Structures are given as structure tokens and as C-alpha cells.
Amino acid sequence: MKIRSAKGLTFDDVLLVPKRSPIASRRDVDPSTRLTDGLRLNIPILSANMDTVTEAAMAMAMAREGGLGVIHRFMTIEQQVKQVERVKRAEGFVVEAPYQIDPAASLAAAARMMARRGVGGLVVKDDGDKLLGLITKRDVMLAPDVHQRVDEVMTSVDQIVSVGPEVSADEARRILYIHRIEKLPVLTDDGELVGLITAQDLMKPKRYPRAIKDEKGRLRVGAAIGVSAQAMERADALLAAGADVLVLDIAHGHADHCIDMVRALRRAHPDAQIVAGNVASADGARDLAEAGANAIKVGIGPGSICTTRIVTGFGVPQLTAIMDVAEGLRGAGFDIPIIADGGVKTSGDMVKALAAGASSVMIGSLFAGCEEAPGAPVIRDGRKVKVVRGMASLGAAISRKASEEENGEEDESAESQAEWDKVVPEGVEAVVPYRGHVREILYQMVGGLRSGMSYGGAFTIEELQRNAEFIVITPAGVRESHPHDVRRV
Ligand code: XMP
């Protein structure tokens, strides 16, 4: 048995001491950062892989603002792959597998498909990959009879302007402009359809200048996996669908099965970007780094909906956990980034996490109230709220069980039923205020970070870490830090 004499600290226990600053304007600082040792983000923020936080809509919004969304894994492999594909389809200037409809389908069916998929047009193809035509919302709206067949109303291929696979974005823009059209099919010499360029997609870079994108111009997205028997199959499918980062995320990441899984993933996918966690110690981080992780996720129990520390007695206050891991990795010669996961309630907490050695932060509850988080808002006591729940909460376990039943994956063995009867939750369910679009929250968070960097005399996050000097504060200091002795209006 050993006991550490130094106290474990978390965000509210400390403040950063202001430093002489060469920064004249918050605009001069650079909030970009390393996500892994191979990928960068334009802002150091990830949305958590929780089923009340990140599916495709949140991941798209995060990547458009320069951060990253990590799609949770509490769904079938096929469902998670679809989520990744939705993000990948959202913005590349060439949509590689445009939604298609049968020539014999009715206009009503086309309208339904466009509404369901959130697109303004569909390609019409024959049984092979030959393009027959294009049908758009406008065609459907103006047609006199919704029971007409699609091929009676579509613009047929002989009237369509198309381009070859090598077309550049500038060339595509020029062609769309000259012909005053909105959609441009990409065809091989044999007339095989290999993509679709839309005017809307070409305009998006202007709307989201900080978006993070892959080499094909598609938004980047992360996807979570676990260590179950089918985890490797899930990883293969997610990478094939275009996931940029795999996040191997289990509650206790410093476990043999997690280390073995990182090793197996590294062997199977030498070039994949793998984040592994969660850990809260230098040893844990080093073992995962040695196994081949490209970034380490840190946090045992700091999350707003976590009860791990109460239920198990284990955990390390988050600021100390970040500092221990940063020092441990550095000491062992690993130059890989840390993602601080959980407990970030304000932009100030994020600045402290980064200054302590994290390269980015992962956020759950703060984003769960956003429009882009899964689930609809409800009214509670006259206020609009959304639900958030720990992934180890009873509610999440019940939903998982129900979805396994629905998908025919249920384990009906006596052992499994007995296990199920003895679920010990390590998380809670709660409601959070509805917070509108995540973009607004990110604006405030990044504004706070920029200001924090100027107090720290730092143009970059690395400089913030080098300059950081923390001071431990007392409960009186905490009180003084918040608005006090006034009545809030
Ligand atoms: P915040 O504070 O941003 O934290 O809401 C999000 C992180 O909390 C973790 N998480 C859990 N931890 N029991 C836990 O002990 C749970 O049920 C649970 N669910 C999520 C996770 O790391 C997440 O990113």
C-alpha cells in the first residue's frame, strides 16, 4: 500500500498566474492543436462519444468549426458506419456515392427520399452504373402529378452537362456558372457515374473557413470502438467508411485487453490514427503509447454524469491526471498528444486543461443540450431541456439491451441474463438546458481560450503550456473567482 502526499487537484482548485504578454489582440493567437501525432485540429475541442452527444449531425457541426466529433459505438456496426458515411458525404466537393432512385419510382417517392436524406436532388441510374438522368426538388415541385414516373420528369442524360473524374474545384465552379446549373455529375469515359458535384458543396468552404477536412475535401470524423469480440470487425468497417480516427474508449483503459486491442489494431492498420483510453496515470498512458496509440485520452471519473469514483473509489482529480500523464509520456520519450476527457464546464476549465499539458479537451454534457445532439428537447418545469446520460448509467444499459434485442444480437445465455440482473451503474441520467446550436457554444469557448492565451502570453497552445504557472486556491479564492456580493439580473 502507498499513499501519495501531494494533493490531487482539479480545475476549481487552481488558477493560472497571468504572464507578461506580447499579444495585442485575441485575434493574433492560434488555437490550432495536435489531435494525434498525425492529425491537427483548428480548435482543441472534441464532442464526446456518448449516445446523447455525438452522432452525425454533431460530428458535422464540430468538424465545420475546426474540432472533431467522435461517433459513439452503442449501435450496430452498420448503423455506426452509416453515421460516418453521412459525415463524409456532407461536404467533399465531389459526393462519391450520391443518393439514387429507380427510374420507375414515383415523384412522390423521390420527394420522400430527398426529404429523408436532406438533399435537393437524386441521380437516376440503370441496373448497372450508367447514369440515366437527374431529378431535383424543383422538378418534383413543378410537376402536375406526383404519381408520374421519375423517368418521365427527370432531366435525361443527353441534356445533362457532366465532367470527368479529374475535374478541379475551380473548373467545376466555372462550368456550373457558365451553364447556370446546380449539379454536375462526374462520369468516366464509359459513362459510369462516379460522383456528383453540387453548387452548394462548392460554396461551403467559404461558409466554414476553419473546417477540418481530409485529402478528398470531406469533413473529418472520429468513431469509437470497444474491446468486444466484434471490435476488430467494427474498426475495419469504420476505417473502410472513411473514419479518420478510431477512439478505443473503455472505462478502464489501463487494462490488458485494452493494451492488447491497441496492439492488434496497430498490426492490422499500421497507418490508422488510434486514440486510446481512458487512463489517469503515467503508467497507463505509457503502456498504451508503447502498444501503438497516437494519442491518449485522460479522465477517470471527472465527467459530469460519472459516478465511477463514488461506486468504485477509484479516480484521479483531472488536473493532476493530465499533469501526471503529460510528465510520464514526456519522461518516457513519447511525443504524443493528450485529450483531456470530462469535467470541462467552462472555457476557463479548458484553458487550465490545455495549460496543464492536454492538446485538446473532450466535452459531453455541455454539448448534450445542443440542437445537434441526438434526441429532441422536452419541456420540464416550463424550461426547454435535453437529456444527457452516462454511458455506464442504468438508462444507457437498458437502451443497449433493447437495441441488441431489436437487432437480434441478444445473448440469451443464463450467464448473460444473470449479469444483466446485476448491472452496477457508474453513471447517471440528467437533463441539461437546451443550448441552441453548438456553433454558438464553440464561439464562446474559443473566445475564452483566445483571451486565456493572451493572459498567458502565448501565441500557441504549446507556448501556453511552456508559460503555465498554476496557483492553488482556497475555498475563499473559489468564491472570489465567481460573481459575488451582487444580485444577478
Ligand atoms: P462531461 O463532464 O463533459 O464528461 O460531461 C464527458 C465524459 O464522461 C465520461 N463518461 C462516463 N464516465 N460513467 C463514467 O464514469 C459514465 O456513465 C460515463 N459516461 C460518459 C466519458 O469519458 C465522457 O467523454
Side-chain angles (χ1 to χ4, degrees):
M1 194 268 283
K2 69 176 178 188
I3 185 157
R4 268 165 70 162
S5 53
K7 283 199 178 117
L9 299 173
T10 193
F11 303 127
D12 285 347
D13 293 321
V14 298
L15 285 170
L16 282 154
V17 179
K19 297 288 164 183
R20 178 170 176 160
S21 183
I23 294 156
S25 159
R26 298 181 343 162
R27 278 195 301 276
D28 298 340
V29 306
D30 175 9
S32 73
T33 192
R34 294 194 305 163
L35 167 66
T36 62
D37 54 1
L39 286 182
R40 288 192 70 82
L41 297 177
N42 283 328
I43 62 170
I45 308 178
L46 285 77
S47 64
N49 42 292
M50 294 164 64
D51 67 357
T52 47
V53 179
T54 311
E55 289 182 355
M58 178 63 82
M60 286 179 216
M62 290 297 299
R64 282 177 178 146
E65 298 307 318
L68 187 87
V70 183
I71 309 274
H72 71 89
R73 63 184 163 91
F74 301 102
M75 52 181 125
T76 63
I77 296 176
E78 293 70 34
Q79 288 165 338
Q80 198 182 12
V81 160
K82 276 213 180 90
Q83 294 287 324
V84 167
E85 285 172 350
R86 270 190 64 198
V87 181
K88 285 291 167 190
R89 204 188 275 272
E91 210 137 301
F93 92 85
V94 179
V95 181
E96 284 185 351
Y99 294 116
Q100 51 181 291
I101 192 153
D102 195 88
S106 69
L107 292 187
R112 271 199 305 277
M113 186 186 277
M114 287 185 223
R116 206 167 48 234
R117 306 290 192 190
V119 295
L122 302 169
V123 298
V124 189
K125 288 204 303 190
D126 66 6
D127 289 344
D129 266 326
K130 281 256 181 325
L131 180 70
L132 298 176
L134 276 179
I135 181 113
T136 66
K137 245 186 205 160
R138 207 179 32 198
D139 300 334
V140 175
M141 256 163 32
L142 298 178
D145 177 5
V146 291
H147 299 104
Q148 272 178 290
R149 283 169 57 115
V150 162
D151 57 4
E152 289 168 9
V153 175
M154 69 185 187
T155 310
S156 69
V157 67
D158 46 312
Q159 301 164 291
I160 288 175
V161 183
S162 64
V163 288
E166 305 308 328
V167 71
S168 68
D170 281 347
E171 182 65 2
R173 192 172 289 124
R174 204 178 61 79
I175 296 173
L176 286 168
Y177 176 71
I178 290 173
H179 294 278
R180 301 292 197 273
I181 51 177
E182 285 179 12
K183 295 191 166 50
L184 201 51
V186 183
L187 303 183
T188 63
D189 290 345
D190 302 333
E192 191 185 313
L193 180 79
V194 289
L196 183 72
I197 297 171
T198 71
Q200 225 188 6
D201 287 341
L202 276 172
M203 293 313 294
K204 278 181 187 159
K206 288 203 178 120
R207 237 192 296 161
Y208 304 110
R210 299 193 64 76
I212 57 149
K213 300 204 171 164
D214 63 18
E215 51 301 325
K216 292 182 178 165
R218 305 174 303 178
L219 294 173
R220 286 203 189 276
V221 61
I225 59 166
V227 291
S228 69
Q230 42 134 261
M232 189 55 88
E233 190 193 332
R234 190 176 281 267
D236 296 346
L238 291 166
L239 289 172
D244 298 278
V245 191
L246 289 179
V247 179
L248 172 51
D249 181 19
I250 63 170
H252 181 27
H254 194 195
D256 291 349
H257 56 188
C258 187
I259 298 167
D260 291 345
M261 185 67 198
V262 176
R263 248 190 232 116
L265 277 172
R266 180 52 69 224
R267 261 197 312 273
H269 299 286
D271 299 327
Q273 295 296 309
I274 303 167
V275 174
N278 278 15
V279 295
S281 69
D283 283 349
R286 279 194 297 257
D287 284 346
L288 294 177
E290 246 161 44
N294 302 99
I296 304 293
K297 199 147 75 74
V298 173
I300 302 287
S304 55
I305 33 55
C306 303
T307 54
T308 293
R309 294 179 186 172
I310 311 299
V311 173
T312 70
F314 279 82
V316 177
Q318 185 68 340
L319 196 81
T320 295
I322 298 166
M323 287 175 172
D324 285 355
V325 167
E327 203 182 306
L329 287 175
R330 218 177 13 250
F334 288 109
D335 181 25
I336 62 173
I338 293 170
I339 300 166
D341 176 18
V344 170
K345 313 169 291 299
T346 61
S347 51
D349 291 346
M350 172 173 65
V351 177
K352 291 173 191 174
L354 297 171
S359 292
S360 61
V361 297
M362 177 173 263
I363 293 180
S365 292
L366 196 57
F367 291 161
C370 293
E371 182 64 35
E372 293 83 354
V378 292
I379 305 292
R380 278 273 172 93
D381 301 326
R383 294 227 168 111
K384 210 171 171 184
V385 295
K386 286 189 88 166
V387 171
V388 61
R389 64 183 182 189
M391 293 319 307
S393 66
L394 187 60
I398 291 170
S399 295
R400 269 204 294 281
K401 177 85 173 161
S403 106
E404 281 168 12
E405 277 172 23
E406 209 177 292
N407 295 308
E409 295 169 352
E410 194 190 9
D411 180 352
E412 283 169 356
S413 64
E415 297 81 19
S416 160
Q417 288 307 316
E419 290 268 300
W420 169 246
D421 291 340
K422 288 187 283 184
V423 168
V424 181
E426 289 183 26
V428 296
E429 289 174 76
V431 291
V432 286
Y434 174 77
R435 291 195 167 99
H437 289 285
V438 70
R439 181 177 199 171
E440 313 295 325
I441 298 186
L442 290 174
Y443 183 82
Q444 293 300 321
M445 294 293 288
V446 176
L449 169 61
R450 286 177 176 278
S451 198
M453 288 170 75
S454 88
Y455 279 104
F459 284 104
T460 63
I461 288 174
E462 289 74 20
E463 252 177 8
L464 178 72
Q465 293 168 350
R466 275 199 299 277
N467 296 352
E469 183 189 348
F470 284 101
I471 183 165
V472 177
I473 58 174
T474 62
V478 176
R479 258 197 319 279
E480 187 187 63
S481 300
H482 290 268
H484 56 88
D485 298 309
V486 290
R487 236 172 85 205
R488 302 287 294 272
V489 286

